[in-house]
């Protein structure tokens, strides 16, 4: 069955995989930043601030990703905006997945009990301090499962960039198919490569979710503070025993 000389195309496949990971990284980071901004705007009390964010979310949630790719790469050219495949592909991923991530982040932020915010204010924390030190760490735990799912989905969706010859993995598969005329073999191998990347990633993210659910801190600073708190607690527990002696 396998008659394609894969050793001749190893370099192309590696290059395509690197481009796929590049689109994934750029798209995901941009989508997280934009999605968080949109989520915060949607939670604003002023309707004039909430409305544009709501419109953005509803529009991009209900447009196919392929249509967005065509608009950014082909459509913007007609109005004088020329984007490279990397720019158009990354931008498409950002604006599309930011709409979904904004909903995940908004739900996570709303899931933090109001009593947490009230307690932080009672302790003298500012609004920004409350958001940074109290709300965000708890909301992050709530948002992690959905965000992880979006990351894996985004990685797989980079295959749609074949439509603009973005030099990612599926584009390389198309070129190899044109050379060898072995479509079934080529696409089975490409599907196996996607599985070999996505499955370990999804399992690693699942392990991270379990760790976080078990109470493991996500950031180094919080881990250091937790170690200090445990050390102080151990000292406090040891003092009565020393006094008894």
């Amino acid at each position: 069955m396998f008659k394609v000389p894969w050793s001749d195309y190893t370099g192309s496949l590696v290059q395509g995989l690197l481009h796929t990971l590049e689109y994934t990284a750029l798209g995901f980071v941009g989508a997280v930043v934009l999605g968080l901004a949109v989520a915060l705007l949607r939670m604003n009390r002023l309707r004039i601030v909430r409305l544009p964010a709501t419109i953005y979310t509803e529009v991009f949630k209900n447009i196919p990703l392929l249509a967005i790719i065509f608009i950014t790469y082909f459509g913007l050219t007609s109005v004088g905006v020329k984007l490279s495949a990397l720019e158009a592909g990354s931008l498409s991923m950002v604006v599309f997945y930011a709409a979904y991530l904004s909903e995940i982040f908004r739900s996570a932020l709303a899931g933090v009990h109001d009593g947490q915010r009230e307690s932080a204010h009672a302790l003298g924390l500012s609004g920004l301090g409350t958001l940074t030190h109290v709300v965000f760490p708890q909301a992050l735990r709530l948002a992690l499962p959905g965000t992880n799912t979006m990351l894996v989905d985004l990685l797989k969706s980079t295959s749609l960039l074949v439509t603009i010859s973005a030099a990612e993995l599926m584009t390389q598969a198309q070129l190899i198919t044109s050379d060898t005329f072995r479509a079934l073999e080529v696409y089975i191998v490409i599907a196996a490569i996607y599985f070999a990347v996505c499955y370990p990633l999804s399992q690693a993210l699942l392990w991270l979710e379990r760790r976080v659910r078990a109470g493991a801190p996500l950031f180094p600073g919080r881990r250091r503070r937790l170690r200090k708190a445990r050390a102080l607690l151990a000292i406090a527990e040891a003092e009565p025993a020393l006094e008894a002696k």
Side-chain angles (χ1 to χ4, degrees), residues 32-64:
V32 167
V33 173
L34 180 57
L36 181 58
V38 172
L40 292 174
L41 291 175
R42 291 196 65 184
M43 297 183 72
N44 196 286
R45 295 180 180 179
L46 298 176
R47 188 170 184 274
I48 194 172
V49 176
R50 291 197 314 270
L51 186 60
T54 303
I55 292 173
Y56 169 87
T57 302
E58 295 303 322
V59 166
F60 284 101
K61 275 173 51 183
N62 293 283
I63 296 179

Short mmCIF file of all heavy atoms in Angstrom, two decimals, residues 32-64:
data_model
loop_
_atom_site.label_atom_id
_atom_site.label_comp_id
_atom_site.label_asym_id
_atom_site.label_seq_id
_atom_site.Cartn_x
_atom_site.Cartn_y
_atom_site.Cartn_z
N VAL A 32 -6.63 34.40 22.85
CA VAL A 32 -6.76 34.51 24.32
C VAL A 32 -6.79 35.98 24.74
O VAL A 32 -7.65 36.39 25.54
CB VAL A 32 -5.61 33.76 25.02
CG1 VAL A 32 -5.55 34.14 26.50
CG2 VAL A 32 -5.79 32.25 24.88
N VAL A 33 -5.88 36.77 24.19
CA VAL A 33 -5.81 38.19 24.56
C VAL A 33 -7.09 38.92 24.13
O VAL A 33 -7.72 39.63 24.92
CB VAL A 33 -4.57 38.85 23.93
CG1 VAL A 33 -4.59 40.37 24.17
CG2 VAL A 33 -3.30 38.25 24.51
N LEU A 34 -7.47 38.73 22.86
CA LEU A 34 -8.67 39.41 22.36
C LEU A 34 -9.93 38.86 23.05
O LEU A 34 -10.83 39.63 23.40
CB LEU A 34 -8.77 39.21 20.85
CG LEU A 34 -9.97 39.86 20.15
CD1 LEU A 34 -10.01 41.36 20.41
CD2 LEU A 34 -9.95 39.58 18.65
N GLY A 35 -9.99 37.56 23.27
CA GLY A 35 -11.16 36.97 23.91
C GLY A 35 -11.35 37.48 25.33
O GLY A 35 -12.47 37.74 25.77
N LEU A 36 -10.24 37.64 26.06
CA LEU A 36 -10.33 38.16 27.43
C LEU A 36 -10.81 39.61 27.42
O LEU A 36 -11.64 40.01 28.25
CB LEU A 36 -8.97 38.05 28.12
CG LEU A 36 -8.90 38.54 29.57
CD1 LEU A 36 -9.90 37.79 30.44
CD2 LEU A 36 -7.48 38.38 30.11
N ALA A 37 -10.28 40.40 26.48
CA ALA A 37 -10.71 41.80 26.37
C ALA A 37 -12.21 41.89 26.06
O ALA A 37 -12.94 42.69 26.66
CB ALA A 37 -9.89 42.52 25.30
N VAL A 38 -12.66 41.08 25.12
CA VAL A 38 -14.09 41.08 24.76
C VAL A 38 -14.94 40.63 25.95
O VAL A 38 -16.01 41.19 26.21
CB VAL A 38 -14.33 40.18 23.54
CG1 VAL A 38 -15.82 40.02 23.27
CG2 VAL A 38 -13.64 40.76 22.31
N ALA A 39 -14.47 39.61 26.68
CA ALA A 39 -15.21 39.13 27.85
C ALA A 39 -15.37 40.23 28.90
O ALA A 39 -16.45 40.40 29.48
CB ALA A 39 -14.51 37.91 28.45
N LEU A 40 -14.29 40.96 29.15
CA LEU A 40 -14.36 42.05 30.14
C LEU A 40 -15.30 43.16 29.67
O LEU A 40 -16.03 43.75 30.48
CB LEU A 40 -12.96 42.60 30.38
CG LEU A 40 -12.00 41.65 31.11
CD1 LEU A 40 -10.59 42.24 31.16
CD2 LEU A 40 -12.49 41.34 32.51
N LEU A 41 -15.27 43.45 28.36
CA LEU A 41 -16.18 44.47 27.82
C LEU A 41 -17.63 44.02 27.95
O LEU A 41 -18.51 44.83 28.27
CB LEU A 41 -15.85 44.75 26.35
CG LEU A 41 -14.53 45.47 26.07
CD1 LEU A 41 -14.29 45.58 24.57
CD2 LEU A 41 -14.52 46.86 26.70
N ARG A 42 -17.88 42.74 27.75
CA ARG A 42 -19.26 42.24 27.83
C ARG A 42 -19.79 42.25 29.27
O ARG A 42 -21.00 42.22 29.48
CB ARG A 42 -19.35 40.83 27.26
CG ARG A 42 -19.15 40.78 25.76
CD ARG A 42 -19.63 39.47 25.20
NE ARG A 42 -21.08 39.31 25.36
CZ ARG A 42 -21.74 38.22 25.02
NH1 ARG A 42 -21.09 37.18 24.52
NH2 ARG A 42 -23.03 38.15 25.19
N MET A 43 -18.88 42.28 30.24
CA MET A 43 -19.30 42.31 31.63
C MET A 43 -19.40 43.73 32.18
O MET A 43 -19.74 43.92 33.35
CB MET A 43 -18.32 41.49 32.48
CG MET A 43 -18.30 40.01 32.11
SD MET A 43 -17.22 39.05 33.17
CE MET A 43 -18.17 39.05 34.69
N ASN A 44 -19.10 44.70 31.33
CA ASN A 44 -19.18 46.09 31.76
C ASN A 44 -20.63 46.49 32.00
O ASN A 44 -21.55 46.01 31.34
CB ASN A 44 -18.55 47.00 30.70
CG ASN A 44 -18.25 48.38 31.24
OD1 ASN A 44 -19.15 49.20 31.44
ND2 ASN A 44 -16.98 48.65 31.50
N ARG A 45 -20.84 47.39 32.96
CA ARG A 45 -22.21 47.80 33.29
C ARG A 45 -22.80 48.73 32.24
O ARG A 45 -24.02 48.84 32.12
CB ARG A 45 -22.22 48.49 34.66
CG ARG A 45 -21.85 47.56 35.81
CD ARG A 45 -21.88 48.30 37.13
NE ARG A 45 -21.53 47.41 38.24
CZ ARG A 45 -21.46 47.80 39.50
NH1 ARG A 45 -21.71 49.06 39.81
NH2 ARG A 45 -21.13 46.92 40.45
N LEU A 46 -21.95 49.41 31.48
CA LEU A 46 -22.43 50.36 30.49
C LEU A 46 -22.84 49.63 29.21
O LEU A 46 -22.04 48.89 28.62
CB LEU A 46 -21.34 51.39 30.17
CG LEU A 46 -20.88 52.28 31.32
CD1 LEU A 46 -19.75 53.18 30.87
CD2 LEU A 46 -22.05 53.12 31.84
N ARG A 47 -24.05 49.85 28.78
CA ARG A 47 -24.55 49.16 27.58
C ARG A 47 -23.78 49.56 26.34
O ARG A 47 -23.57 48.75 25.43
CB ARG A 47 -26.04 49.49 27.40
CG ARG A 47 -26.70 48.67 26.30
CD ARG A 47 -28.21 48.87 26.32
NE ARG A 47 -28.86 48.02 25.33
CZ ARG A 47 -29.04 48.37 24.07
NH1 ARG A 47 -28.61 49.55 23.63
NH2 ARG A 47 -29.64 47.54 23.22
N ILE A 48 -23.34 50.82 26.28
CA ILE A 48 -22.60 51.29 25.11
C ILE A 48 -21.26 50.58 24.96
O ILE A 48 -20.70 50.49 23.87
CB ILE A 48 -22.41 52.83 25.19
CG1 ILE A 48 -21.97 53.37 23.83
CG2 ILE A 48 -21.39 53.20 26.28
CD1 ILE A 48 -21.94 54.87 23.77
N VAL A 49 -20.75 50.05 26.07
CA VAL A 49 -19.50 49.28 26.04
C VAL A 49 -19.79 47.81 25.73
O VAL A 49 -19.07 47.17 24.97
CB VAL A 49 -18.75 49.42 27.38
CG1 VAL A 49 -17.51 48.53 27.39
CG2 VAL A 49 -18.36 50.87 27.63
N ARG A 50 -20.87 47.30 26.31
CA ARG A 50 -21.22 45.89 26.12
C ARG A 50 -21.67 45.59 24.70
O ARG A 50 -21.37 44.52 24.16
CB ARG A 50 -22.35 45.47 27.07
CG ARG A 50 -22.00 45.40 28.52
CD ARG A 50 -23.04 44.59 29.28
NE ARG A 50 -24.39 44.95 28.93
CZ ARG A 50 -25.11 45.89 29.55
NH1 ARG A 50 -24.56 46.56 30.55
NH2 ARG A 50 -26.36 46.14 29.19
N LEU A 51 -22.39 46.51 24.09
CA LEU A 51 -23.03 46.23 22.80
C LEU A 51 -22.04 45.86 21.69
O LEU A 51 -22.24 44.85 21.00
CB LEU A 51 -23.91 47.42 22.39
CG LEU A 51 -24.74 47.21 21.12
CD1 LEU A 51 -25.69 46.03 21.32
CD2 LEU A 51 -25.52 48.48 20.79
N PRO A 52 -20.96 46.65 21.47
CA PRO A 52 -20.02 46.26 20.40
C PRO A 52 -19.38 44.89 20.64
O PRO A 52 -19.19 44.12 19.70
CB PRO A 52 -18.96 47.38 20.44
CG PRO A 52 -19.62 48.52 21.10
CD PRO A 52 -20.57 47.92 22.08
N ALA A 53 -19.07 44.59 21.91
CA ALA A 53 -18.47 43.29 22.23
C ALA A 53 -19.46 42.16 21.97
O ALA A 53 -19.09 41.09 21.47
CB ALA A 53 -18.00 43.27 23.68
N THR A 54 -20.73 42.38 22.30
CA THR A 54 -21.76 41.38 22.05
C THR A 54 -21.95 41.14 20.56
O THR A 54 -22.07 40.00 20.11
CB THR A 54 -23.09 41.82 22.69
OG1 THR A 54 -22.90 42.04 24.09
CG2 THR A 54 -24.17 40.76 22.48
N ILE A 55 -21.98 42.22 19.79
CA ILE A 55 -22.13 42.10 18.34
C ILE A 55 -20.96 41.32 17.75
O ILE A 55 -21.14 40.43 16.91
CB ILE A 55 -22.24 43.50 17.69
CG1 ILE A 55 -23.56 44.16 18.10
CG2 ILE A 55 -22.14 43.40 16.17
CD1 ILE A 55 -23.69 45.60 17.66
N TYR A 56 -19.74 41.66 18.20
CA TYR A 56 -18.55 40.95 17.71
C TYR A 56 -18.68 39.45 17.98
O TYR A 56 -18.44 38.62 17.08
CB TYR A 56 -17.30 41.51 18.39
CG TYR A 56 -16.07 40.66 18.16
CD1 TYR A 56 -15.29 40.86 17.04
CD2 TYR A 56 -15.71 39.65 19.05
CE1 TYR A 56 -14.16 40.08 16.80
CE2 TYR A 56 -14.60 38.86 18.82
CZ TYR A 56 -13.83 39.09 17.70
OH TYR A 56 -12.73 38.29 17.47
N THR A 57 -19.04 39.09 19.20
CA THR A 57 -19.14 37.68 19.57
C THR A 57 -20.17 36.96 18.72
O THR A 57 -19.90 35.87 18.19
CB THR A 57 -19.50 37.55 21.06
OG1 THR A 57 -18.50 38.22 21.85
CG2 THR A 57 -19.56 36.10 21.47
N GLU A 58 -21.34 37.54 18.58
CA GLU A 58 -22.41 36.88 17.84
C GLU A 58 -22.09 36.78 16.35
O GLU A 58 -22.43 35.77 15.70
CB GLU A 58 -23.73 37.63 18.05
CG GLU A 58 -24.24 37.59 19.47
CD GLU A 58 -24.42 36.17 19.99
OE1 GLU A 58 -24.85 35.29 19.21
OE2 GLU A 58 -24.12 35.93 21.17
N VAL A 59 -21.45 37.78 15.80
CA VAL A 59 -21.10 37.75 14.37
C VAL A 59 -20.10 36.64 14.08
O VAL A 59 -20.32 35.79 13.22
CB VAL A 59 -20.55 39.12 13.92
CG1 VAL A 59 -19.88 38.99 12.54
CG2 VAL A 59 -21.66 40.15 13.86
N PHE A 60 -18.99 36.62 14.82
CA PHE A 60 -17.92 35.68 14.49
C PHE A 60 -18.21 34.26 14.97
O PHE A 60 -17.59 33.32 14.49
CB PHE A 60 -16.59 36.18 15.04
CG PHE A 60 -16.03 37.31 14.23
CD1 PHE A 60 -16.16 38.62 14.65
CD2 PHE A 60 -15.38 37.06 13.03
CE1 PHE A 60 -15.65 39.67 13.89
CE2 PHE A 60 -14.88 38.09 12.26
CZ PHE A 60 -15.01 39.41 12.69
N LYS A 61 -19.16 34.10 15.89
CA LYS A 61 -19.58 32.75 16.27
C LYS A 61 -20.44 32.11 15.19
O LYS A 61 -20.59 30.88 15.14
CB LYS A 61 -20.38 32.79 17.58
CG LYS A 61 -19.52 32.77 18.84
CD LYS A 61 -20.36 32.99 20.06
CE LYS A 61 -21.55 32.05 20.12
NZ LYS A 61 -22.43 32.32 21.28
N ASN A 62 -21.04 32.92 14.34
CA ASN A 62 -22.00 32.42 13.36
C ASN A 62 -21.52 32.58 11.92
O ASN A 62 -22.34 32.54 10.99
CB ASN A 62 -23.35 33.13 13.56
CG ASN A 62 -24.00 32.75 14.88
OD1 ASN A 62 -24.55 31.67 15.01
ND2 ASN A 62 -23.91 33.64 15.87
N ILE A 63 -20.23 32.77 11.74
CA ILE A 63 -19.62 32.79 10.40
C ILE A 63 -18.62 31.64 10.33
O ILE A 63 -17.82 31.47 11.25
CB ILE A 63 -18.91 34.14 10.13
CG1 ILE A 63 -19.92 35.27 10.12
CG2 ILE A 63 -18.16 34.09 8.81
CD1 ILE A 63 -19.28 36.64 9.88
N PRO A 64 -18.63 30.85 9.27
CA PRO A 64 -17.66 29.75 9.16
C PRO A 64 -16.23 30.29 9.11
O PRO A 64 -15.97 31.36 8.55
CB PRO A 64 -18.03 29.08 7.83
CG PRO A 64 -19.42 29.52 7.53
CD PRO A 64 -19.57 30.88 8.14
#
